[in-house]
Amino acid sequence: MAKIVQCVPNFSEGVDKILIEKIIDEIRKVEGTKLLDYSMDKDHNRCVTTFIGTPEAVEEAAFNACKKAAELIDMSKHKGEHPRMGATDVIPLIPITDVTVEECIEMSKRIGKRIGEELGISVFLYEKSASASHRENLASVRKGQYENMNEKMKDNEWKPDYGPDTLNVKAGATAVGARMPLVAFNVNLGTDNLEIANKIAKSVRGRNGGFTACKALGVEIKERNIVQVTMNMVDYISTPLYRVFDMIEREANRYGVNVIGSEIIGLVPMMALINCADYYLKIENFREDQILEKRIYE
Amino acid sequence: MAKIVQCVPNFSEGVDKILIEKIIDEIRKVEGTKLLDYSMDKDHNRCVTTFIGTPEAVEEAAFNACKKAAELIDMSKHKGEHPRMGATDVIPLIPITDVTVEECIEMSKRIGKRIGEELGISVFLYEKSASASHRENLASVRKGQYENMNEKMKDNEWKPDYGPDTLNVKAGATAVGARMPLVAFNVNLGTDNLEIANKIAKSVRGRNGGFTACKALGVEIKERNIVQVTMNMVDYISTPLYRVFDMIEREANRYGVNVIGSEIIGLVPMMALINCADYYLKIENFREDQILEKRIYE
């Protein structure tokens, strides 16, 4: 397969479809990209766009779309429920096929530099690209939102990575960063006892000493009379699905409860599952290029 | 991903590279195909060619290559160690992506019909395409080889599916059929006792009452001082890898032996491994189209 990066830029416009189409045309125009999806939300006044492509094409398309959004969206007039700080609010870069997270970090820096220098927009590198640990979390970067960013950037802790130290009034500020694809993974327990699901969620999630790249909650599935550990796996390489699954099974057994099933919600990268097969079958020296489909698209 | 079929035609020429290149050019010429590999064997006097493509392209390319082979190869002068019956000896069709084995069976019938009618070559459908159970096995179809095919076809049991009942002296006969991709899967045992590997091989293989689509042998891995159950999994859908792996583990435990690892030799279809992840993680209602990579190439 060719090198594939996914990009999920968020634009601060959720009502005007003609305007959004103009931004998205900048993505469509770049050869080597493929638009997978975009959705506009009126209350959030925000558009989430998903596209993929070769690293070069994604880099070009992300910059061009950001440039067009800066022309068309006026943040000084923007209202919406979702936290936001810029016309192009955030540009996440996600390694999909034959691309490392390091390559996506380099891409984010090049895109950020161009946005800063050519468009005069303040840029914060976040997540895997962050220049300091307090800038990894997008919510922390965006805290104060558009209205308070000018003030916030006066603090040395929040000096932008690229672009001016004073806010671009029309376009606001933009976060750019590499992150791993997110896998929504739920494990169902053979009990209706929510307390058990909550205890297990607490034991596996990073926040409470569990697996770093696992966010977990206990929830009730009322129609089935069971409970579930519902998870966001934010880095399936450093925290693999099988490791969390096995740990949940062990913790559940401690309460005399069985794991009765699991769910993958939405999309999952092929390797997040192949890695599980590799683990359970104890395959020695498996190489990704042994996957037939990889030969087809190389 | 687009519909992808793999085709592995075998031609009865293993020395003359210029001749083989002319046959393979017929495959390259058809848009929508991709040649993955071809290898010539002098002693076998045979060329094994692997290509993939859309069903329509593969159908066209397979016929055109067979036509060219019939022009260039004279079976009445052919000598070689490998059993063979025709200039194009066999055309296996293998479903890879978003194609069912039933679709490959239909393809094999259309290709066979054209070879019979347009080229005047006797065609036997084999494997999943076979018109009777005694004609499934390629070795049985080919038994007697080129030299005895004319006589063999007089028997009603061996009347060809398409083409003339008397052998085409120059081109011989051709087998065409759909089969599943083969997965070479070995399981390593923590013992040097070959008898245990042989007993386990016998218990899991179809020939002795085990899994229908599993061929297995016990072998010694001398450099590691262990034994191995070495397998050809000939239909990973009806006989999944995880089921055989789990059974080997149970049988090994009976002898107080652990499974210490496994190996996949060569290529493996993505779904053969994804199905294992699905099983061990007990995923409910998993759909192939949840795999991110499938969206990229659809």
Side-chain angles (χ1 to χ4, degrees):
Chain A
M1 300 180 185
K3 287 187 177 215
I4 298 280
V5 172
Q6 187 178 31
C7 184
V8 190
N10 287 212
F11 304 104
S12 292
E13 173 60 59
V15 184
D16 187 343
K17 198 169 167 176
I18 294 168
L19 186 156
I20 283 296
E21 274 290 323
K22 284 182 187 160
I23 296 172
I24 285 170
D25 272 342
E26 294 295 323
I27 295 166
R28 290 194 185 100
K29 262 197 263 181
V30 178
E31 205 180 328
T33 68
K34 183 173 171 183
L35 184 75
L36 295 186
D37 182 51
Y38 75 92
S39 64
M40 298 171 71
D41 188 293
K42 220 175 186 170
D43 298 328
H44 287 179
N45 197 9
R46 189 178 182 85
C47 174
V48 180
T49 310
T50 305
F51 72 100
I52 52 161
T54 61
E56 299 73 24
V58 166
E59 208 171 310
E60 186 66 15
F63 174 80
N64 292 353
C66 179
K67 185 178 177 184
K68 184 59 77 178
E71 282 169 38
L72 300 180
I73 298 172
D74 186 350
M75 285 307 288
S76 68
K77 291 172 187 155
H78 186 271
K79 283 188 169 39
E81 280 173 19
H82 197 287
R84 79 286 180 266
M85 61 180 189
T88 301
D89 197 51
V90 55
I91 303 177
L93 298 162
I94 304 152
I96 302 295
T97 306
D98 289 339
V99 171
T100 62
V101 76
E102 287 71 25
E103 285 174 82
C104 287
I105 293 172
E106 290 311 308
M107 284 177 69
S108 70
K109 290 181 179 174
R110 286 191 300 266
I111 295 170
K113 194 161 186 278
R114 283 191 72 188
I115 293 174
E117 291 178 1
E118 298 179 35
L119 307 181
I121 296 172
S122 312
V123 170
F124 295 90
L125 296 172
Y126 81 111
E127 276 275 350
K128 306 268 186 191
S129 307
S131 49
S133 62
H134 71 280
R135 294 158 79 121
E136 284 173 14
N137 188 286
L138 180 61
S140 306
V141 172
R142 200 161 48 196
K143 201 177 173 191
Q145 299 191 51
Y146 168 79
E147 287 75 8
N148 300 293
M149 285 312 284
N150 198 46
E151 195 58 28
K152 183 175 179 175
M153 293 194 297
K154 289 179 184 161
D155 184 348
N156 248 340
E157 294 264 288
W158 293 107
K159 201 173 132 39
D161 292 285
Y162 303 106
D165 290 356
T166 48
L167 193 69
N168 181 318
V169 177
K170 193 174 172 212
T174 298
V176 186
R179 66 165 172 84
M180 288 292 288
L182 185 144
V183 181
F185 182 46
N186 303 327
V187 176
N188 297 328
L189 305 177
T191 176
D192 61 358
N193 189 334
L194 182 60
E195 207 186 327
I196 292 175
N198 274 325
K199 277 185 181 168
I200 294 175
K202 203 173 155 183
S203 71
V204 296
R205 71 188 171 210
R207 178 152 66 90
N208 296 94
F211 298 103
T212 317
C214 172
K215 298 175 179 181
L217 282 176
V219 292
E220 282 182 293
I221 309 293
K222 290 219 168 118
E223 67 275 24
R224 292 176 64 183
N225 209 28
I226 59 167
V227 295
Q228 180 180 76
V229 181
T230 180
M231 293 177 285
N232 272 333
M233 305 292 295
V234 298
D235 184 343
Y236 70 85
I237 291 176
S238 63
T239 301
L241 271 61
Y242 59 79
R243 196 164 293 150
V244 175
F245 181 85
D246 279 1
M247 185 53 61
I248 290 175
E249 198 155 53
R250 289 185 77 100
E251 292 285 328
N253 286 346
R254 175 185 159 182
Y255 302 108
V257 168
N258 289 320
V259 166
I260 59 170
S262 75
E263 299 169 356
I264 302 266
I265 307 297
L267 298 182
V268 56
M270 175 181 75
M271 288 310 295
L273 293 181
I274 299 261
N275 288 347
C276 296
D278 184 45
Y279 169 76
Y280 289 111
L281 296 178
K282 303 179 183 180
I283 308 178
E284 299 173 3
N285 305 317
F286 184 70
R287 300 184 328 275
E288 252 183 86
D289 65 8
Q290 290 184 263
I291 301 165
L292 184 59
E293 281 78 358
K294 294 206 62 123
R295 297 294 177 94
I296 298 177
Y297 298 105
E298 71 189 355
Chain B
M1 300 183 186
K3 287 187 178 216
I4 298 279
V5 173
Q6 188 178 28
C7 184
V8 190
N10 287 212
F11 304 105
S12 292
E13 174 59 58
V15 185
D16 187 342
K17 200 173 163 171
I18 294 167
L19 186 156
I20 282 295
E21 274 290 322
K22 284 181 187 159
I23 296 172
I24 285 171
D25 272 342
E26 295 295 323
I27 294 165
R28 292 196 186 98
K29 262 197 264 181
V30 178
E31 205 181 330
T33 68
K34 182 173 172 181
L35 184 76
L36 294 186
D37 181 52
Y38 75 92
S39 64
M40 298 171 71
D41 188 294
K42 222 174 185 170
D43 298 328
H44 288 180
N45 197 8
R46 188 178 183 85
C47 174
V48 180
T49 310
T50 305
F51 72 100
I52 51 160
T54 61
E56 298 73 23
V58 167
E59 208 171 309
E60 187 67 14
F63 175 80
N64 292 353
C66 180
K67 185 178 177 185
K68 185 59 76 178
E71 282 170 38
L72 300 180
I73 299 172
D74 186 350
M75 285 306 290
S76 67
K77 292 171 186 154
H78 186 270
K79 283 189 168 42
E81 280 174 20
H82 197 287
R84 78 286 179 266
M85 62 180 189
T88 302
D89 197 51
V90 56
I91 303 178
L93 298 162
I94 304 151
I96 302 296
T97 306
D98 290 340
V99 171
T100 62
V101 74
E102 287 72 26
E103 285 174 82
C104 287
I105 293 172
E106 291 310 309
M107 284 176 69
S108 69
K109 290 181 178 172
R110 286 191 300 265
I111 295 170
K113 194 162 186 277
R114 283 191 72 188
I115 294 173
E117 291 178 2
E118 298 179 33
L119 307 181
I121 296 172
S122 311
V123 170
F124 294 90
L125 296 172
Y126 81 112
E127 277 275 351
K128 307 267 186 192
S129 306
S131 50
S133 62
H134 70 280
R135 296 159 77 122
E136 284 173 15
N137 188 286
L138 180 61
S140 307
V141 172
R142 201 162 47 195
K143 202 177 173 190
Q145 298 191 51
Y146 169 80
E147 287 74 9
N148 300 292
M149 285 312 285
N150 198 45
E151 195 58 30
K152 183 175 178 173
M153 293 193 298
K154 289 178 182 161
D155 184 347
N156 248 341
E157 294 263 289
W158 293 107
K159 199 174 133 37
D161 292 284
Y162 304 105
D165 290 355
T166 49
L167 193 69
N168 181 317
V169 177
K170 190 173 174 213
T174 299
V176 187
R179 65 165 173 84
M180 287 292 288
L182 185 144
V183 180
F185 182 48
N186 302 328
V187 176
N188 297 328
L189 305 177
T191 176
D192 61 357
N193 188 334
L194 182 59
E195 206 188 326
I196 292 176
N198 275 324
K199 277 185 181 167
I200 294 175
K202 203 173 156 183
S203 71
V204 296
R205 70 188 173 212
R207 178 153 67 91
N208 296 93
F211 298 104
T212 318
C214 172
K215 298 176 179 180
L217 282 177
V219 292
E220 281 181 294
I221 309 294
K222 290 221 169 114
E223 66 274 25
R224 292 175 64 183
N225 210 29
I226 59 167
V227 295
Q228 181 180 77
V229 181
T230 180
M231 294 177 285
N232 273 334
M233 305 292 295
V234 298
D235 184 345
Y236 69 86
I237 291 176
S238 63
T239 301
L241 272 60
Y242 59 78
R243 197 166 292 150
V244 176
F245 181 85
D246 278 1
M247 186 53 61
I248 290 175
E249 198 156 53
R250 288 185 78 101
E251 292 285 327
N253 285 346
R254 176 186 159 181
Y255 301 109
V257 167
N258 289 321
V259 166
I260 59 169
S262 75
E263 298 168 358
I264 302 266
I265 307 298
L267 297 181
V268 56
M270 174 181 77
M271 287 311 294
L273 293 181
I274 299 260
N275 288 346
C276 296
D278 184 45
Y279 169 75
Y280 288 112
L281 296 178
K282 305 179 181 178
I283 307 179
E284 300 173 2
N285 306 316
F286 184 70
R287 300 183 328 273
E288 251 183 87
D289 66 7
Q290 290 183 263
I291 301 165
L292 185 59
E293 281 78 359
K294 294 205 63 125
R295 297 293 177 95
I296 298 175
Y297 298 105
E298 73 188 353

